[in-house]
């Protein structure tokens, strides 16, 4: 049975010790990070790591991120790093950045899915940091969700999916950032973003480094394609309900198109859901056939990143035939949000 530790109002030291003990004894602990919740296991024990794949139903070709609490631990899991990699780690750790480095022999191959590289991250969330420190081992952790579902950002969603699949769940309230870490790799002295996140291309440029987005960030990846990050190939975040995105630089054009699609669907007797800015709900209120799910405020895209996965989870709870998502500008944190939303629509994007 899964034990639930509630740290929302107070961190309970004794329970945190029990969670660390569980990691050392090869158990699974769901813990908060500043991005999304993770399902953690001792990254140095193959049998413990195997349990993560079983709990999530995760394909065995999608490698895990190893979470560390200091640079000594980094040296245990990697085989060195260059100056550019060092600069990135110094600038963005602890925080929402995962960097792909050469792995050490200590990291079992089921963590990396037989790659000779390993994704490493030093989280800033206090519970994550303390858990790693107390366990005194690096913690392998994918996002806390069944494979293919939106990443878990609150314990209500996580408990529904992972109850009885893990030993302990630590509840620390809603995740701050809400989208997973920026995954990057230095290739020929250039920083390549494999998965966009809170750390943006501008943030990386601002520390004087050359950066580009991997070409697959907004594209469908074919099974046969060779990609830098296996995670790009896997189906992600999509509700069961048919979901479509409408995208243009100009919001008014998007909203007019959404109204047009609503009318077409209503004529066919279909019910429509819309995911968009909170402020736009009023435009669709009059229509009983429309369910509106607000994803956050126009002047604060971080409110959107924070809500986006719980909004996607809501879609299937309503009796709707089709869901339309309002696309946002691919700038700053908007790059990460759009990367997740495009996958949630399974690449069905109406770009006007
Ligand atoms: O914010 C996050 O990164 C969260 C929290 C829990 O830390 N974790 C997370 O893990 O999102 P996961 O397993 O859901 O996503 C890991 C991503 C996948 O896209 C995977 O392909 C990529 O990182 N990845 C891991 N190791 C890699 C490697 N050696 N080379 C390339 N990509 C790698
Ligand atoms: Mg994930």
């Amino acid at each position: 049975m899964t034990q639930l530790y509630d740290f929302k109002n107070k961190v309970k030291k004794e329970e945190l010790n029990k969670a660390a003990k569980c990691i050392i004894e090869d158990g699974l602990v769901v813990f908060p990070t500043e991005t999304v919740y993770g399902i953690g296991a001792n990254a140095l024990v193959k049998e413990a790591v195997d349990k993560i794949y079983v709990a999530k139903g995760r394909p065995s070709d999608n490698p895990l991120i190893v979470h560390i609490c200091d640079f000594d631990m980094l040296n245990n899991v990697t085989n060195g790093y260059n100056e550019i990699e060092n600069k990135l780690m110094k600038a963005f750790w602890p925080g929402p950045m995962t960097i792909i480095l050469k792995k050490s022999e200590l990291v079992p191959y089921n963590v990396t899915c037989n790659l000779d590289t390993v994704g490493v991250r030093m989280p800033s969330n206090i519970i994550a940091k303390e858990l790693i420190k107390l366990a005194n081992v690096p913690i392998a952790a994918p996002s806390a969700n069944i494979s293919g579902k939106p990443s878990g950002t609150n314990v209500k969603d996580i408990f529904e999916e992972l109850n009885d699949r893990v030993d302990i769940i630590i509840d620390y309230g809603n995740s701050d950032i809400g989208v997973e870490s920026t995954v990057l790799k230095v290739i020929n002295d250039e920083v390549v973003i494999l998965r966009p996140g809170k750390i943006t291309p501008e943030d990386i440029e601002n520390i004087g480094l050359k950066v580009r987005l991997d070409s697959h960030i907004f594209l469908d990846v074919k099974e046969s394609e060779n990609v830098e990050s296996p995670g790009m190939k896997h189906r992600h975040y999509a509700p069961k309900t048919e979901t479509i995105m409408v995208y243009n630089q100009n919001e008014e054009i998007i909203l007019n198109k959404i109204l047009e699609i609503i009318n077409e669907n209503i004529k066919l007797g279909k019910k429509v859901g819309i995911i968009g800015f909170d402020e736009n709900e009023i435009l669709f209120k009059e229509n009983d056939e429309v369910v509106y799910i607000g994803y956050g405020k126009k002047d604060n895209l971080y409110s959107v990143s924070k809500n986006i996965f719980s909004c996607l989870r809501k879609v299937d709870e309503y009796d709707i035939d089709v869901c339309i998502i309002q696309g946002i500008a691919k700038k700053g944190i908007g790059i990460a949000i759009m990367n997740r939303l495009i996958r949630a629509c399974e690449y069905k994007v109406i770009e006007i």
Side-chain angles (χ1 to χ4, degrees), residues 168-187:
I168 293 169
I169 297 178
I170 299 176
D171 188 354
Y172 195 55
N174 293 342
S175 305
D176 274 347
I177 299 173
V179 289
E180 311 89 336
S181 61
T182 306
V183 177
L184 45 83
K185 186 173 183 180
V186 177
I187 303 173

Side-chain angles (χ1 to χ4, degrees), residues 35 58 62-63 65 67 117 121 142-143 180-181 195 228-229 231:
T35 54
R58 181 167 174 113
N62 195 8
I65 294 171
H67 297 69
T117 54
R121 175 159 114 79
S143 52
E180 311 89 336
S181 61
R195 181 179 69 182
E228 281 293 342
S229 182

Side-chain angles (χ1 to χ4, degrees), residues 235-251:
R235 287 278 165 231
H236 260 129
Y237 318 124
K240 290 195 190 84
T241 309
E242 183 184 10
T243 303
I244 301 166
M245 181 192 286
V246 180
Y247 178 63
N248 184 277
Q249 303 251 0
N250 180 324
E251 191 181 15

Side-chain angles (χ1 to χ4, degrees), residues 48-312:
V49 170
D50 273 337
K51 291 181 187 169
I52 295 179
Y53 289 87
V54 175
K56 271 191 75 118
R58 181 167 174 113
S60 58
D61 63 346
N62 195 8
L64 306 175
I65 294 171
V66 172
H67 297 69
I68 56 168
C69 62
D70 55 35
F71 280 85
D72 283 342
M73 230 178 229
L74 174 72
N75 294 328
N76 284 333
V77 297
T78 64
N79 225 342
Y81 40 87
N82 66 28
E83 235 170 80
I84 298 176
E85 290 159 344
N86 191 31
K87 195 167 184 181
L88 287 161
M89 294 185 283
K90 289 268 152 59
F92 300 117
W93 278 356
M97 176 193 77
T98 297
I99 184 161
I100 310 297
L101 297 169
K102 279 185 234 79
K103 85 183 241 331
S104 77
E105 293 110 70
L106 290 180
V107 178
Y109 272 108
N110 63 343
V111 171
T112 67
C113 300
N114 295 323
L115 296 172
D116 287 319
T117 54
V118 59
V120 192
R121 175 159 114 79
M122 192 190 288
S124 62
N125 176 284
I126 180 171
I127 306 297
K129 277 205 298 208
E130 277 299 305
L131 180 67
I132 304 165
K133 211 156 139 191
L134 286 168
N136 201 22
V137 291
I139 296 183
S143 52
N145 53 275
I146 296 287
S147 227
K149 291 276 189 126
S151 300
T153 54
N154 66 74
V155 164
K156 183 182 162 287
D157 291 344
I158 293 169
F159 194 79
E160 272 172 33
E161 262 177 44
L162 296 178
N163 184 23
D164 287 338
R165 291 175 174 252
V166 297
D167 299 297
I168 293 169
I169 297 178
I170 299 176
D171 188 354
Y172 195 55
N174 293 342
S175 305
D176 274 347
I177 299 173
V179 289
E180 311 89 336
S181 61
T182 306
V183 177
L184 45 83
K185 186 173 183 180
V186 177
I187 303 173
N188 299 329
D189 291 345
E190 189 179 28
V191 182
V192 182
I193 296 184
L194 305 181
R195 181 179 69 182
K198 170 130 191 275
I199 312 265
T200 62
E202 298 83 72
D203 293 332
I204 294 163
E205 263 162 19
N206 286 342
I207 60 162
L209 296 177
K210 228 175 120 193
V211 60
R212 69 175 163 89
L213 292 174
D214 185 277
S215 58
H216 299 92
I217 284 198
F218 299 118
L219 295 178
D220 195 357
V221 181
K222 303 282 168 298
E223 198 44 51
S224 56
E225 263 181 279
N226 203 359
V227 287
E228 281 293 342
S229 182
M232 291 171 172
K233 281 193 178 184
H234 295 285
R235 287 278 165 231
H236 260 129
Y237 318 124
K240 290 195 190 84
T241 309
E242 183 184 10
T243 303
I244 301 166
M245 181 192 286
V246 180
Y247 178 63
N248 184 277
Q249 303 251 0
N250 180 324
E251 191 181 15
E252 218 178 296
I253 297 180
I254 298 182
L255 294 172
N256 284 334
K257 185 70 188 177
I258 293 179
L259 281 168
E260 197 184 305
I261 300 175
I262 291 175
N263 289 332
E264 281 166 16
N265 276 282
I266 287 175
K267 271 191 214 144
L268 298 171
K270 290 189 176 173
K271 288 207 173 108
V272 186
I274 299 168
I275 300 182
F277 286 117
D278 296 352
E279 293 90 338
N280 293 340
E281 178 165 12
I282 192 147
L283 302 174
F284 303 97
K285 250 194 165 151
E286 278 168 26
N287 209 319
D288 288 345
E289 306 301 308
V290 172
V291 172
Y292 197 87
I293 304 172
Y295 59 28
K297 302 259 176 296
K298 286 186 193 182
D299 64 357
N300 180 10
L301 288 186
Y302 293 106
S303 67
V304 179
S305 68
K306 203 176 166 107
N307 290 329
I308 200 66
F309 287 139
S310 53
C311 287
L312 289 170

